[in-house]
Structures are given as C-alpha cells and as structure tokens.
Amino acid sequence: GAVVSQHPSRVICKSGTSVKIECRSLDFQATTMFWYRQFPKQSLMLMATSNEGSKATYEQGVEKDKFLINHASLTLSTLTVTSAHPEDSSFYICSARGPRGGDHEQFFGPGTRLTVL
Amino acid sequence: GQNIDQPTEMTATEGAIVQINCTYQTSGFNGLFWYQQHAGEAPTFLSYNVLDGLEEKGRFSSFLSRSKGYSYLLLKELQMKDSASYLCAVMDSNYQLIWGAGTKLIIKP
C-alpha cells in the first residue's frame, strides 16, 4: 500500500510559538490531502482538505488564519499552527488520496502529537 | 444532515466473536470503510464495502446493506491485540469521508 509520513511525530512547544507539521506521500502523488485533529477519546475531526496548487478548504469552525495549510507539491502538504495555545494540544493526523477522483482509500500518516505548554 | 452511528464501547472475551454495527445517513454514498485505531496511533485501513454483501478478510469480515444504511464489522477468534477503537466512515457524494465517533473494543482474557 501507499505510504504517508509525518514529521515531527511529537512536538512540545511554548504558548505563542508556531509549529509546522509536514505530511509527505512517499510513493504516490497525492492530489488531495486531508488534515484531521483528534482529541483524547474522540473521533477524528476533519480540519481541512487541500488540493495541490490551490487553497485549502476549511471545515466550519476551523480558523484558517490560525491553521495555515500549504500543499505546494504532489507529495508534500504542511500544516502550521500559528501562535499555539494549550487548547491546541492534540493529535494531528494527515491523510492523502491519489490522483484519481474515484480512488476510495485515504492513506494515513502516523500522526503528530502536539503539546503546548 | 450527515450522521454515522456506532456503539461507544463493547467488551468481548479472547477467542470469541464480536460484531460492531454502524448505521449511516449521508448525502450520497461512495463506499463504507472500517478502520482500526490503537491508542495514540493513526487509523489503519481494515475494509471497504461499496456493494451489498459480505467481504471476508482473514479474521475480519465486513457487511453492507445500502438499502438499510447499515454495516457491521465482524471480528472472529479475538486476540488481546484486537483491543482498539474501530471507526466506521462513509464516503459521500463529494468523496469526503464522514466519520463515526468510533467503538472502543475491550478484550478480556
């Protein structure tokens, strides 16, 4: 199956700093990437959908100025949490889908655990 | 609105069989997925159903009835390592995944 990597796997930062998370599709071209957030004991919550070369589509309630998404190439998308606060502490997971619109499977990265002190 | 329902938690015994149900109401349907997620890890793909019927893959099977908006995941010969959350997700008409809240499965010896 296709492989998606995420970096870093874990990050601890001070309140007010910005954190960048990278999501890479290693062996396929990902025209669409998804960013999820998951709080403890809750299900995945879709934050935004990004298509290569275009602006991300954010879900309702997700601040696009706080969670900056860049999908500059077919293998890389980044999520930057700007001016992070303790309530942003969560498990962030990206997933990627191939170029065919009917591709049914999303391939998940291993996730990034963000802790904001 | 779109809605996926599955039980919050289930308990089963090692070696036994457990069935996790999922009902859905979505705008369009392009398939139903089951994912397994261990605590602190990302989800891993288990199965995909787009046509009615049963798909069997080793100890795991998944069933779909589109007319009833219903699916189940059947786990046989349960092992302790099967303790995890099981997520049901439906792909809607826009090829977006709509996620259920997950079912936490606890396996007891």
Side-chain angles (χ1 to χ4, degrees), chain A residues 7-48:
Chain A
H7 177 80
S9 59
R10 185 180 297 268
V11 59
I12 301 173
C13 68
K14 292 182 180 180
S15 184
T17 59
S18 294
V19 175
K20 180 185 282 189
I21 302 169
E22 291 186 350
C23 177
R24 293 181 184 272
S25 58
L26 299 185
D27 53 2
F28 70 103
Q29 294 183 327
T31 51
T32 305
M33 285 187 169
F34 304 87
W35 286 97
Y36 293 88
R37 181 168 54 183
Q38 187 176 36
F39 293 105
K41 299 184 179 180
Q42 295 186 24
S43 190
L44 298 172
M45 187 191 81
L46 179 66
M47 300 175 66

Coordinates of all heavy atoms in Angstrom, one line a residue, chain A residues 7-48:
Chain A
H7 N 6.0 14.5 9.9 CA 7.1 14.9 10.8 C 6.8 16.3 11.4 O 6.4 17.1 10.7 CB 8.4 15.0 9.9 CG 9.6 15.5 10.6 ND1 10.4 14.7 11.5 CD2 10.2 16.7 10.7 CE1 11.3 15.4 12.0 NE2 11.2 16.6 11.6
P8 N 7.1 16.5 12.6 CA 7.6 15.5 13.6 C 6.5 14.6 14.1 O 5.3 14.8 13.9 CB 8.2 16.4 14.7 CG 7.3 17.6 14.7 CD 6.9 17.8 13.2
S9 N 6.9 13.5 14.8 CA 5.9 12.6 15.4 C 5.4 13.2 16.7 O 4.3 12.9 17.1 CB 6.5 11.3 15.6 OG 7.7 11.4 16.5
R10 N 6.3 14.0 17.3 CA 5.9 14.6 18.6 C 6.6 15.9 18.8 O 7.7 16.1 18.4 CB 6.3 13.6 19.8 CG 5.9 14.0 21.1 CD 6.4 13.0 22.1 NE 5.8 11.7 21.9 CZ 4.7 11.2 22.5 NH1 4.1 12.0 23.4 NH2 4.3 10.0 22.2
V11 N 5.8 16.9 19.3 CA 6.4 18.2 19.5 C 5.8 18.9 20.7 O 4.6 18.8 20.9 CB 6.3 19.1 18.2 CG1 4.8 19.3 17.9 CG2 6.9 20.4 18.4
I12 N 6.7 19.5 21.5 CA 6.3 20.2 22.7 C 6.8 21.6 22.5 O 8.0 21.9 22.1 CB 6.9 19.6 24.0 CG1 6.5 18.2 24.1 CG2 6.5 20.4 25.2 CD1 7.2 17.4 25.3
C13 N 5.9 22.6 22.6 CA 6.3 24.0 22.4 C 5.7 24.9 23.5 O 4.7 24.5 24.2 CB 5.9 24.4 21.0 SG 4.1 24.6 20.8
K14 N 6.2 26.1 23.5 CA 5.7 27.1 24.4 C 4.5 27.8 23.8 O 4.4 27.9 22.6 CB 6.8 28.1 24.8 CG 7.9 27.5 25.7 CD 8.9 28.6 26.0 CE 10.0 28.0 26.9 NZ 11.0 29.1 27.2
S15 N 3.6 28.3 24.6 CA 2.5 29.0 24.2 C 2.9 30.2 23.4 O 3.8 30.9 23.8 CB 1.6 29.4 25.4 OG 0.4 30.1 25.0
G16 N 2.3 30.5 22.3 CA 2.6 31.7 21.5 C 3.5 31.4 20.3 O 3.7 32.2 19.4
T17 N 4.2 30.2 20.3 CA 5.0 29.9 19.2 C 4.3 29.2 18.1 O 3.1 28.8 18.3 CB 6.2 28.9 19.6 OG1 5.6 27.7 20.2 CG2 7.0 29.6 20.7
S18 N 4.9 29.1 16.9 CA 4.3 28.4 15.8 C 4.9 27.1 15.5 O 6.1 26.9 15.7 CB 4.4 29.3 14.5 OG 3.6 30.5 14.7
V19 N 4.1 26.2 15.1 CA 4.6 24.8 14.8 C 4.2 24.4 13.4 O 3.1 24.5 13.1 CB 4.0 23.8 15.9 CG1 4.4 22.4 15.6 CG2 4.5 24.2 17.3
K20 N 5.2 23.8 12.7 CA 4.9 23.3 11.4 C 5.0 21.8 11.4 O 5.9 21.2 11.9 CB 5.9 23.9 10.4 CG 5.7 23.4 8.9 CD 6.7 23.8 7.9 CE 6.5 25.2 7.5 NZ 7.4 25.6 6.4
I21 N 4.0 21.2 10.8 CA 3.9 19.7 10.6 C 3.9 19.4 9.1 O 3.1 20.0 8.4 CB 2.6 19.2 11.3 CG1 2.6 19.6 12.8 CG2 2.6 17.6 11.1 CD1 1.2 19.3 13.4
E22 N 4.8 18.5 8.8 CA 4.9 18.1 7.4 C 4.2 16.7 7.1 O 4.3 15.8 7.9 CB 6.3 18.0 6.9 CG 7.1 19.3 6.9 CD 8.5 19.1 6.3 OE1 8.9 18.0 6.1 OE2 9.1 20.2 6.0
C23 N 3.6 16.6 6.0 CA 2.9 15.4 5.6 C 3.4 15.1 4.2 O 3.2 15.9 3.3 CB 1.4 15.5 5.6 SG 0.5 14.1 5.1
R24 N 4.0 13.9 4.0 CA 4.6 13.5 2.7 C 4.0 12.2 2.2 O 3.9 11.2 3.0 CB 6.1 13.4 2.8 CG 6.8 14.7 3.0 CD 8.3 14.5 3.0 NE 9.0 15.7 3.4 CZ 9.4 16.6 2.5 NH1 9.1 16.4 1.2 NH2 10.0 17.7 2.9
S25 N 3.6 12.1 1.0 CA 3.3 10.8 0.3 C 4.6 10.3 -0.3 O 5.2 11.0 -1.1 CB 2.2 11.0 -0.7 OG 2.5 11.9 -1.7
L26 N 5.0 9.2 0.1 CA 6.4 8.7 -0.3 C 6.4 8.0 -1.6 O 7.4 8.0 -2.3 CB 6.9 7.8 0.9 CG 7.1 8.5 2.2 CD1 7.7 7.5 3.2 CD2 7.8 9.8 2.1
D27 N 5.4 7.3 -2.0 CA 5.4 6.5 -3.2 C 4.3 6.7 -4.1 O 4.0 5.9 -5.0 CB 5.6 5.0 -2.8 CG 4.5 4.6 -1.8 OD1 3.7 5.4 -1.5 OD2 4.6 3.4 -1.4
F28 N 3.6 7.8 -4.0 CA 2.5 8.1 -4.9 C 2.2 9.6 -4.9 O 2.7 10.3 -4.0 CB 1.2 7.4 -4.5 CG 0.5 7.8 -3.3 CD1 -0.6 8.6 -3.3 CD2 1.0 7.5 -2.0 CE1 -1.3 9.1 -2.2 CE2 0.4 7.9 -0.9 CZ -0.8 8.7 -0.9
Q29 N 1.6 10.1 -5.9 CA 1.3 11.5 -6.0 C -0.1 11.8 -5.4 O -1.1 11.2 -5.8 CB 1.3 12.0 -7.5 CG 2.6 11.9 -8.1 CD 2.6 12.4 -9.5 OE1 1.6 12.3 -10.2 NE2 3.7 13.0 -10.0
A30 N -0.1 12.6 -4.4 CA -1.3 12.9 -3.6 C -1.9 14.2 -4.1 O -1.4 15.3 -3.7 CB -1.0 12.9 -2.1
T31 N -2.9 14.1 -4.9 CA -3.6 15.4 -5.3 C -4.4 16.0 -4.2 O -4.6 17.2 -4.2 CB -4.4 15.1 -6.6 OG1 -5.3 14.0 -6.3 CG2 -3.6 14.8 -7.8
T32 N -4.8 15.2 -3.3 CA -5.7 15.7 -2.2 C -5.1 15.2 -0.9 O -4.8 14.0 -0.8 CB -7.1 15.2 -2.3 OG1 -7.6 15.6 -3.6 CG2 -8.0 15.8 -1.3
M33 N -5.0 16.1 0.0 CA -4.5 15.7 1.4 C -5.5 16.3 2.4 O -6.1 17.3 2.2 CB -3.1 16.2 1.6 CG -2.0 15.4 0.9 SD -0.4 16.0 1.4 CE 0.6 14.7 0.7
F34 N -5.7 15.5 3.4 CA -6.6 15.9 4.5 C -5.9 16.1 5.8 O -5.0 15.3 6.1 CB -7.7 14.8 4.6 CG -8.4 14.5 3.4 CD1 -7.9 13.5 2.5 CD2 -9.6 15.1 3.1 CE1 -8.6 13.2 1.3 CE2 -10.3 14.8 1.9 CZ -9.8 13.8 1.0
W35 N -6.3 17.1 6.6 CA -5.7 17.2 7.9 C -6.9 17.0 8.9 O -7.9 17.6 8.8 CB -5.2 18.7 8.0 CG -3.9 18.8 7.3 CD1 -3.7 19.3 6.1 CD2 -2.6 18.4 7.8 NE1 -2.3 19.2 5.7 CE2 -1.6 18.7 6.8 CE3 -2.1 17.8 9.0 CZ2 -0.3 18.4 6.9 CZ3 -0.8 17.6 9.1 CH2 0.1 17.9 8.1
Y36 N -6.5 16.2 9.9 CA -7.5 15.8 10.9 C -6.9 16.2 12.3 O -5.7 16.3 12.5 CB -7.8 14.3 11.0 CG -8.5 13.8 9.8 CD1 -7.9 13.4 8.6 CD2 -9.9 13.7 9.8 CE1 -8.5 12.8 7.6 CE2 -10.6 13.2 8.7 CZ -9.9 12.7 7.6 OH -10.6 12.2 6.5
R37 N -7.8 16.4 13.2 CA -7.4 16.6 14.6 C -8.2 15.6 15.5 O -9.4 15.4 15.2 CB -7.7 18.1 15.0 CG -7.2 18.4 16.5 CD -7.3 19.9 16.7 NE -8.5 20.5 16.3 CZ -8.8 21.8 16.4 NH1 -7.8 22.7 16.8 NH2 -10.0 22.3 16.1
Q38 N -7.5 15.1 16.5 CA -8.2 14.2 17.3 C -7.9 14.4 18.8 O -6.7 14.3 19.2 CB -7.9 12.7 16.9 CG -8.7 11.7 17.7 CD -8.4 10.3 17.2 OE1 -7.2 9.9 16.9 NE2 -9.4 9.4 17.2
F39 N -8.9 14.8 19.6 CA -8.7 14.9 21.0 C -8.9 13.6 21.7 O -9.5 12.7 21.1 CB -9.7 16.0 21.5 CG -9.4 17.4 21.0 CD1 -10.2 17.9 20.0 CD2 -8.3 18.1 21.5 CE1 -9.9 19.2 19.5 CE2 -8.0 19.4 21.0 CZ -8.9 19.9 20.0
P40 N -8.3 13.5 22.9 CA -8.4 12.2 23.6 C -9.8 11.6 23.7 O -10.8 12.3 24.0 CB -7.9 12.5 25.0 CG -6.9 13.6 24.7 CD -7.6 14.5 23.6
K41 N -9.9 10.3 23.3 CA -11.2 9.6 23.4 C -12.3 10.1 22.5 O -13.5 9.9 22.7 CB -11.7 9.5 24.9 CG -10.7 8.9 25.8 CD -11.3 8.8 27.2 CE -10.3 8.1 28.1 NZ -10.8 7.9 29.5
Q42 N -11.9 10.9 21.5 CA -12.8 11.4 20.5 C -12.4 10.9 19.1 O -11.3 10.4 18.9 CB -12.9 12.9 20.5 CG -13.4 13.5 21.8 CD -13.6 15.0 21.8 OE1 -13.7 15.6 20.7 NE2 -13.6 15.6 22.9
S43 N -13.4 11.0 18.2 CA -13.1 10.6 16.8 C -12.3 11.6 16.1 O -12.1 12.7 16.5 CB -14.4 10.2 16.1 OG -14.1 9.6 14.9
L44 N -11.9 11.2 14.9 CA -11.2 12.2 14.0 C -12.1 13.3 13.6 O -13.3 13.1 13.3 CB -10.8 11.5 12.7 CG -9.8 10.3 12.9 CD1 -9.6 9.6 11.5 CD2 -8.5 10.8 13.4
M45 N -11.6 14.5 13.6 CA -12.3 15.7 13.2 C -11.6 16.3 12.0 O -10.4 16.7 12.1 CB -12.4 16.7 14.3 CG -13.3 17.9 13.9 SD -13.2 19.2 15.1 CE -11.7 20.1 14.5
L46 N -12.2 16.3 10.8 CA -11.6 16.9 9.7 C -11.4 18.4 9.8 O -12.4 19.1 10.2 CB -12.4 16.6 8.4 CG -11.9 17.1 7.1 CD1 -10.6 16.5 6.7 CD2 -12.9 16.9 6.0
M47 N -10.2 18.9 9.6 CA -10.0 20.3 9.7 C -10.1 21.0 8.4 O -10.7 22.0 8.2 CB -8.6 20.6 10.3 CG -8.4 20.0 11.7 SD -6.7 20.2 12.3 CE -6.6 22.0 12.4
A48 N -9.4 20.4 7.4 CA -9.3 21.0 6.1 C -8.9 20.0 5.0 O -8.3 18.9 5.3 CB -8.3 22.1 6.1

